[in-house]
Amino acid sequence: MSDSRSGFSSRIGFVAAAAGSAVGLGNIWKFPYETAQNGGGAFLFLYLIFVFLIGFPVMVGEIAMGRNTSSNPFGAYNKLGGKNWAYVGLLGVICGVMILSFYNVIAGWAFGYFLQVSFGDLLAEENYGQFFGAYISDISNVFFFSLSFMVVTGFVVWRGVQKGIEFAAKLLMPILFVILIGLIIFALTLPNAGLGIEYYLTPDFSKLTLPTINSAMGHAFFTLSLGMGALITYGSYISKKDNITSSAAIVTTADTAVAFLAGLLMLPLVFIQGEAPEASGPGLVFVILPGIFEQMGPFLGRFIGGTFFLLLCVAALTSTISLLEVPVSYFVDEKKWSRAKSVIVLSSVIFALGLPSMMSQGDNALIPPLPFLHAPNNTFLDLVADTFTVVSLPLGGLLMCIFISRRWGTAKLSEEVAQGNPSYIGSRLEKAINLLITYILPVVLGIIFIVNVYTIFIA
C-alpha cells in the first residue's frame, strides 16, 4: 500500500474520523430546527428509529465495499461490478464535490460569526435578521472566511490519512463533545429551560404527517454522510481485522448522540427567549441565538456565544475534511495524481464552484432567486443543496442496496463483514442486514427519492 493510500493507524482513528464525517452542520444546525418544526419529541422518536433501521445497514454496506476493494467509490464499484456500475461511484464523487462547494460557504458563515461574536460587535446589533441578511451578502467578508475554511480543510487532507485526517478527528471530536456538553449544562440552568426539554422529549404524534415522516427518514440518511461514498473511502483505509459492525454501531451512536445533544441545547435556548419553536426555522442559529446570547450580558454572552459558534466550526470542519477526501482519493487512485496536487487542484475548483452559492445569499444577493424553485428555498445554494443532498444521497443509497443485493451479492457482503467478526455469518444481525438491504431499504429509499424530487422540483 503506497503512502498516498496509507490506512488508519487504529480502529479508534477510523471511528473518530467516520464519526467526524457524520457529525456536522446537519446535527447542530439542521436537526434542532427540523425537530422544532415537526412535533418535537415525535420527530426525535422517528429519527432515532430510522437512523438504525436505514442508516446502520447502509453504513455497514459502504464500509465493507471500501475495505474489500481498498479503493475510492468509483474504484470500488468498478472492481466489484464492472464499468457500468462504476458510474454509481462516480455519482458519489460528484456529490462530495458539490456538497462541499456549498457546505464550505455555510462553514464560512459560522467562522465569521465566531469572530464577530467573540471579538466584534455582533451582539450589539438591534435587528439580527437584517444583520444576517446583510452579512451573508457581503462577499468581501464571506469570501475570506470561506476561503480560510477551505485552506484549513485542504491542509488537513494534504497531510494524509494518519497525520491529517486521523489526527484531526482524534483532536476535534473530543473538543466537540466537551463544548457541547458544557453549553448544555449552562443552558439547563437558565429560566424556562425545562419547557424546552419537555417540548423536545415529549412526543406529540398528532403533529406527524407524511412529509414529517419523510423528513425524519431523509435527515437520518443525510446526517450519517451516506450515499456519497465518504464511508466507502474511509472503509478503504481500515484493516481486515477491524470489526465493521461494531465500528458502524459506534459511529451511528456517536452521530445520533451529537444530534440529540444539539437538540437538548437548542430547544431550551429557544424557550429561554420566549420564541415559538415551530417558527425557529433555518435562521435559528444565525438569527435567534445571537439575541439569546445578547441577553446574557456583554461578557457572558460573548463567551457563551463565541464558544457555540466555535462548536459549529469544529463540527463543520470534521465534515469538510471527509467531503474533500472523497474526490481526492478518486484522483489519487484512478488518475495517479499525487495527494498534494489533488488537494490543491480540487480545493481551488470546489471553492470556485461555491462562488455562485456564496453570491446568491442575503439582502443584496448578486445572483437573484431562481423562479422555477419554491420560495423560500429558491436560491442557487438551495438548488445545489437540494440536488446533491436531499435528492442524490437517497439515490446513491438506493443504488448501493440494489448493487449489493443484485450484483455483488449479500453472501460476499457477509464474507467481508465476517473478517474481523467471525460470529457474524449465521447471526441474527446478518439476517436482518441482508433482509433490509435486499427488500426493505430499496423500497424506503426509493420512496424518499421520489417524494423529494416531487416536493422540490414539481409540487
Side-chain angles (χ1 to χ4, degrees), residues 156-209:
V156 172
V157 175
W158 167 74
R159 284 183 54 83
V161 177
Q162 292 183 16
K163 295 180 180 180
I165 297 171
E166 182 175 347
F167 176 81
K170 287 180 177 179
L171 175 67
L172 294 173
M173 287 305 293
I175 291 175
L176 185 147
F177 273 100
V178 169
I179 294 176
L180 185 54
I181 293 172
L183 288 173
I184 290 170
I185 293 173
F186 173 78
L188 295 181
T189 66
L190 300 175
N192 296 324
L195 296 176
I197 298 298
E198 181 180 356
Y199 179 87
Y200 183 47
L201 299 181
T202 304
D204 183 1
F205 292 106
S206 65
K207 294 185 178 181
L208 290 185
T209 61

Side-chain angles (χ1 to χ4, degrees), residues 365-381:
L366 299 178
I367 297 179
L370 304 177
F372 56 89
L373 294 177
H374 309 293
N377 299 321
N378 58 358
T379 69
F380 187 86
L381 186 150

Side-chain angles (χ1 to χ4, degrees), residues 244-379:
I244 290 178
T245 52
S246 64
S247 296
I250 294 171
V251 172
T252 303
T253 302
D255 176 76
T256 306
V258 171
F260 174 78
L261 291 173
L264 206 60
L265 167 66
M266 305 286 266
L267 271 297
L269 288 178
V270 171
F271 275 87
I272 289 166
Q273 197 178 17
E275 295 281 348
E278 296 87 349
S280 57
L284 173 62
V285 165
F286 296 103
V287 177
I288 293 179
L289 288 188
I292 298 171
F293 299 140
E294 186 270 335
Q295 291 181 7
M296 296 177 182
F299 174 77
L300 189 60
R302 190 181 293 271
F303 176 75
I304 297 298
T307 302
F308 172 80
F309 283 104
L310 177 61
L311 165 70
L312 210 60
C313 291
V314 171
L317 182 59
T318 60
S319 290
T320 57
I321 290 169
S322 70
L323 287 167
L324 181 57
E325 178 63 18
V326 173
V328 165
S329 69
Y330 168 77
F331 278 92
V332 169
D333 291 345
E334 307 301 327
K335 306 302 180 182
K336 307 306 177 186
W337 287 12
S338 68
R339 177 168 284 270
K341 177 182 177 181
S342 300
V343 169
I344 293 171
V345 171
L346 287 168
S347 296
S348 302
V349 170
I350 292 171
F351 182 78
L353 289 173
L355 293 178
S357 293
M358 186 185 300
M359 294 186 292
S360 68
Q361 300 299 301
D363 299 332
N364 301 301
L366 299 178
I367 297 179
L370 304 177
F372 56 89
L373 294 177
H374 309 293
N377 299 321
N378 58 358
T379 69

Side-chain angles (χ1 to χ4, degrees), residues 81-282:
K83 185 176 181 180
N84 290 335
W85 279 103
Y87 291 107
V88 176
L90 186 60
L91 172 64
V93 175
I94 294 172
C95 283
V97 168
M98 296 308 298
I99 291 172
L100 182 54
S101 73
F102 81 84
Y103 201 98
N104 185 67
V105 173
I106 301 174
W109 299 349
F111 181 47
Y113 260 57
F114 163 67
L115 296 177
Q116 288 284 345
V117 171
S118 300
F119 310 107
D121 299 322
L122 191 152
L123 297 185
E125 293 293 326
E126 295 183 359
N127 189 312
Y128 293 109
Q130 289 182 1
F131 176 84
F132 179 62
Y135 181 81
I136 61 177
S137 62
D138 185 350
I139 301 303
S140 60
N141 277 335
V142 178
F143 183 94
F144 173 76
F145 295 137
S146 294
L147 178 62
S148 300
F149 218 92
M150 181 62 77
V151 169
V152 173
T153 301
F155 176 75
V156 172
V157 175
W158 167 74
R159 284 183 54 83
V161 177
Q162 292 183 16
K163 295 180 180 180
I165 297 171
E166 182 175 347
F167 176 81
K170 287 180 177 179
L171 175 67
L172 294 173
M173 287 305 293
I175 291 175
L176 185 147
F177 273 100
V178 169
I179 294 176
L180 185 54
I181 293 172
L183 288 173
I184 290 170
I185 293 173
F186 173 78
L188 295 181
T189 66
L190 300 175
N192 296 324
L195 296 176
I197 298 298
E198 181 180 356
Y199 179 87
Y200 183 47
L201 299 181
T202 304
D204 183 1
F205 292 106
S206 65
K207 294 185 178 181
L208 290 185
T209 61
L210 288 177
T212 298
I213 296 172
N214 181 71
S215 178
M217 288 191 292
H219 189 73
F221 199 80
F222 168 72
T223 191
L224 289 171
S225 294
L226 300 173
M228 63 178 180
L231 292 176
I232 292 179
T233 303
Y234 278 7
S236 72
Y237 299 135
I238 66 174
S239 165
K240 292 289 187 180
K241 298 178 181 179
D242 288 335
N243 187 321
I244 290 178
T245 52
S246 64
S247 296
I250 294 171
V251 172
T252 303
T253 302
D255 176 76
T256 306
V258 171
F260 174 78
L261 291 173
L264 206 60
L265 167 66
M266 305 286 266
L267 271 297
L269 288 178
V270 171
F271 275 87
I272 289 166
Q273 197 178 17
E275 295 281 348
E278 296 87 349
S280 57

Side-chain angles (χ1 to χ4, degrees), residues 396-416:
L398 167 64
L399 293 175
M400 190 213 73
C401 291
I402 294 174
F403 172 77
I404 290 178
S405 60
R406 302 290 187 267
R407 182 65 177 87
W408 188 31
T410 54
K412 295 288 183 62
L413 170 65
S414 296
E415 289 177 9
E416 181 61 37

